[in-house]
Amino acid sequence: AQSVTQLGSHVSVSEGALVLLRCNYSSSVPPYLFWYVQYPNQGLQLLLKYTTGATLVKGINGFEAEFKKSETSFHLTKPSAHMSDAAEYFCAVSRSGGSYIPTFGRGTSLIVHP
Amino acid sequence: EPEVTQTPSHQVTQMGQEVILRCVPISNHLYFYWYRQILGQKVEFLVSFYNNEISEKSEIFDDQFSVERPDGSNFTLKIRSTKLEDSAMYFCASSVSGDPPLHFGNGTRLTVT
């Protein structure tokens, strides 16, 4: 079985500050890992993904995430927050073999203050 | 960029009524999915569909639910007799192959009164 835990339902940062959204996963096989973003009244948009290879993954809008197998983590970071980054962020895991159906976390709402 | 489109964006229905949620996946995609998100909870997998049949389904996807690809472009989710607890945002997604990532639509917010 696979699962995802996102620590913190809400994260609040000031514009220009570091963004850190935490994600820990559980998977019995090597995982595929994803971050999706959901802006108000929109669908889920893929930010970045890890499948194999380099453990530091760069995505759109300046976000990146690092796969740390020893910590079973895939935290999302951005050096400097923009007001436009305010959204809901979802971490997801799927198996690297067998069923590829992603399992999502509860989501973290990022609030950016001026 | 091609998009997954869902209609309607918001549907209100009375308990016990049937609803059909509609989706148009990206045209060259072969795998289709429905997820739902109850307010404040996680995005949950309902069902995947490939080659005109269900390939996987979750425990949530009971006999009240059905999916269909009635023509070459639409993919529908039917709830036969809605319950209050079916109120949620329903997302359709598609992928080229069975590998992620999935491409999601904007969702249909279903409110059952």
Side-chain angles (χ1 to χ4, degrees), chain A residues 4 32 34 36 38 41-44 46 49 88 90 94 99-106, chain B residues 33 35 37 40-43 45 48 56 89 91 98-107:
Chain A
V4 171
Y32 289 168
F34 310 86
Y36 283 83
Q38 183 183 25
N41 301 315
Q42 294 187 29
L44 299 165
L46 182 68
K49 63 179 180 181
E88 190 84 11
F90 294 92
S94 72
S99 170
Y100 295 103
I101 305 294
T103 298
F104 284 82
R106 289 182 178 272
Chain B
Y33 310 82
Y35 281 77
Q37 183 184 24
Q41 298 187 26
K42 60 175 66 178
V43 177
F45 168 71
S48 62
E56 285 191 57
M89 181 73 89
F91 291 106
D99 287 349
L102 277 55
H103 298 260
F104 285 83
N106 286 354

Side-chain angles (χ1 to χ4, degrees), chain B residues 1 5-6 8 51 56 59 61 65 99 102-104 108:
Chain B
E1 184 176 331
T5 57
Q6 291 185 243
N51 199 25
E56 285 191 57
E59 293 175 353
F61 194 86
F65 292 91
D99 287 349
L102 277 55
H103 298 260
F104 285 83
T108 293

Side-chain angles (χ1 to χ4, degrees), chain B residues 19-34:
Chain B
V19 295
I20 298 176
L21 309 183
R22 302 182 190 278
C23 169
V24 178
I26 295 173
S27 61
N28 64 332
H29 286 190
L30 301 177
Y31 291 77
F32 315 116
Y33 310 82
W34 284 100

Side-chain angles (χ1 to χ4, degrees), chain B residues 55-69:
Chain B
S55 47
E56 285 191 57
K57 61 181 181 178
S58 71
E59 293 175 353
I60 303 168
F61 194 86
D62 60 21
D63 292 344
Q64 290 285 79
F65 292 91
S66 63
V67 290
E68 190 179 31
R69 188 153 165 83

